[in-house]
Amino acid sequence: MQAAKTASPAGAGRLVFARILAGVDGSEQALEAARQAALLQDARGELTLLAVWNLAPPLVGATGTRVPSYFDEDIQRGHAEKALLAAREHVAPHTAPVGKIVRGTVWDQLIQEIERQQDTLVAVGSSGLGRMRGIVAGSVGTEIIHNAPCSVLVARRPKGSFPHRIVVGIDGSPESAAAYAAARYLADRFSGQLTPIVAWGGKRVDERMLAVIAAGSHEDASEPPARALVAAAAEADLIVVGSRGLHGFRSLGSVSERVAHEAACSTLIVREPVWQRVAEELGG
């Protein structure tokens, strides 16, 4: 892969990493998501670790006198406390996070926390489910990809240093420009290798805007966008895509969803929060 040589506007992409929320549950995947969130957090940014607990719904016809552990509030909250402590220790070399424990459904509580704190990025660990299994099972990653009102990081353990090899999909849309700005910011900050990819096998590409976004420095792929980016993930530590674009990134079965579920590395879906856009409009 060739490194892109173009410069990005000063501070472009920085706001994505200003206020990060990471969901933690004690799993290795969640610990990796918390670690990557801590690394990506901007120097003046904030990281919140959120552990969610809940009781299983009551079972009709249940018998016996002993209360199962999944019905015991103390046990379930205790699991959340242990998960939060483990995540705090895991990210301690990188940052001092805020820790929170709440009761409820995991994805609902993550989204409520995003809206309450106006977070700019939420990080979750990959469940390991494929896209269709994730949709059927209602995995946290699938729900967050569909519904989070901010950028989303679906984390996988990298093969090497993270984030050193970054791939970004661009198609000339404003959303892909935002993805490029975030990817360029990370590449500059971590002295990483950045490879913009233009996939010509899907819907139309705005060639004029491509020249503005990446100044002609990109790789071409003949495949459809999702297939091209998943293939590029074999040699990358992080894939960056826009939330919506000329290819409909946010729809069911979208490019961003397919890449997040199928890529062999972490995926960053760049999505401008509503409150950030409103603040920019008011400031303008």
Side-chain angles (χ1 to χ4, degrees):
M1 292 191 296
Q2 298 293 321
K5 302 294 186 180
T6 56
S8 60
R14 180 188 300 272
L15 290 179
V16 174
F17 313 102
R19 290 186 301 279
I20 305 179
L21 174 67
V24 297
D25 60 8
S27 67
E28 289 297 320
Q29 294 92 332
L31 288 176
E32 180 60 23
R35 185 187 75 89
Q36 292 185 18
L39 288 170
L40 297 182
Q41 174 193 327
D42 195 65
R44 297 182 180 180
E46 301 174 355
L47 172 62
T48 298
L49 304 176
L50 184 69
V52 182
W53 68 276
N54 207 359
L55 300 182
L59 299 177
V60 176
T63 61
T65 58
R66 184 175 179 181
V67 177
S69 62
Y70 44 82
F71 293 157
D72 190 307
E73 290 191 17
D74 292 336
I75 291 176
Q76 294 306 312
R77 183 178 175 84
H79 288 330
E81 290 172 347
K82 290 179 180 178
L84 181 57
L85 178 60
R88 279 184 180 274
E89 293 174 348
H90 201 63
V91 304
H94 309 293
T95 190
V98 174
K100 296 183 179 181
I101 298 176
V102 296
R103 178 177 178 175
T105 304
V106 175
W107 48 82
D108 284 343
Q109 293 302 317
L110 284 170
I111 290 172
Q112 287 183 37
E113 179 68 15
I114 292 168
E115 293 173 342
R116 186 162 47 242
Q117 298 299 321
Q118 297 190 350
D119 291 310
T120 55
L121 173 64
V122 58
V124 294
S126 168
S127 65
L129 298 175
R131 182 171 65 86
M132 290 310 299
R133 285 187 63 199
I135 292 170
V136 173
S139 73
V140 172
T142 298
E143 293 290 337
I144 292 299
I145 290 168
H146 286 176
N147 300 312
C150 66
S151 297
V152 178
L153 174 70
V154 179
R156 287 181 172 84
R157 186 173 296 280
K159 303 178 186 70
S161 178
F162 174 88
H164 178 65
R165 297 170 299 174
I166 303 170
V167 170
V168 57
I170 54 175
D171 62 7
S173 67
E175 291 78 13
S176 75
Y180 179 85
R184 177 77 269 171
Y185 171 70
L186 290 178
D188 290 345
R189 179 178 161 197
F190 291 97
S191 299
Q193 173 182 293
L194 176 62
T195 304
I197 290 182
V198 180
W200 298 91
K203 297 181 180 179
R204 70 181 183 87
V205 171
D206 189 328
E207 297 184 51
R208 182 181 66 84
M209 289 307 300
L210 280 179
V212 175
I213 294 170
S217 179
H218 59 77
E219 291 188 1
D220 295 314
S222 59
E223 302 94 340
R227 190 182 304 168
L229 292 172
V230 169
E235 299 181 32
D237 307 309
L238 180 65
I239 298 286
V240 185
V241 295
S243 65
R244 296 184 69 177
L246 301 178
H247 306 300
F249 283 164
R250 206 176 169 186
S251 61
L252 188 64
S254 65
V255 171
S256 58
E257 183 190 2
R258 288 187 58 191
V259 172
H261 281 301
E262 298 174 16
C265 67
S266 296
T267 301
L268 172 63
I269 302 168
V270 177
R271 180 179 298 158
E272 184 181 35
V274 173
W275 45 85
Q276 184 172 302
R277 184 165 61 248
V278 170
E280 291 171 352
E281 291 173 355
L282 292 176

